[in-house]
Amino acid sequence: PYTTLFRSDKTAIAKKSKTGDYTVKSKDTLTSIAKNNMNSYNVKKAIEMLKETNKITNEDAIKEGTVINIPK
């Protein structure tokens, strides 16, 4: 899924994954998540897959820190 990396100050950071779980960051949108993580699909189809997989009814309502699944 995603890999936990550690910076020199020992704080964990999540590395985004092409499939698996993704933690929503500040200013992320479903469009940006789809473009950066689901390259094998057109953006519109990828957004629909994200919404369906994660039971998202309002794509403007995703919040920072929310963990969503990136479908294969």
Side-chain angles (χ1 to χ4, degrees), residues 52-64:
E52 182 178 318
T53 300
N54 294 284
K55 298 177 179 30
I56 297 170
T57 56
N58 179 359
E59 63 186 82
D60 296 323
I62 63 170
K63 297 184 191 266
E64 181 178 3

Side-chain angles (χ1 to χ4, degrees), residues 12-44:
I13 56 174
K15 179 181 177 187
K16 64 184 169 187
S17 171
K18 295 297 180 191
T19 60
D21 292 337
Y22 176 83
T23 302
V24 177
K25 295 171 186 56
S26 176
K27 299 185 183 183
D28 271 346
T29 63
L30 286 184
T31 300
S32 67
I33 295 167
K35 284 181 179 178
N36 292 325
N37 293 282
M38 300 176 71
N39 298 333
S40 61
Y41 299 96
N42 73 49
V43 175
K44 188 173 184 173

Side-chain angles (χ1 to χ4, degrees), residues 2-16:
Y2 66 91
T3 304
T4 301
L5 303 174
F6 291 91
R7 299 188 295 214
S8 60
D9 64 0
K10 303 291 185 200
T11 57
I13 56 174
K15 179 181 177 187
K16 64 184 169 187

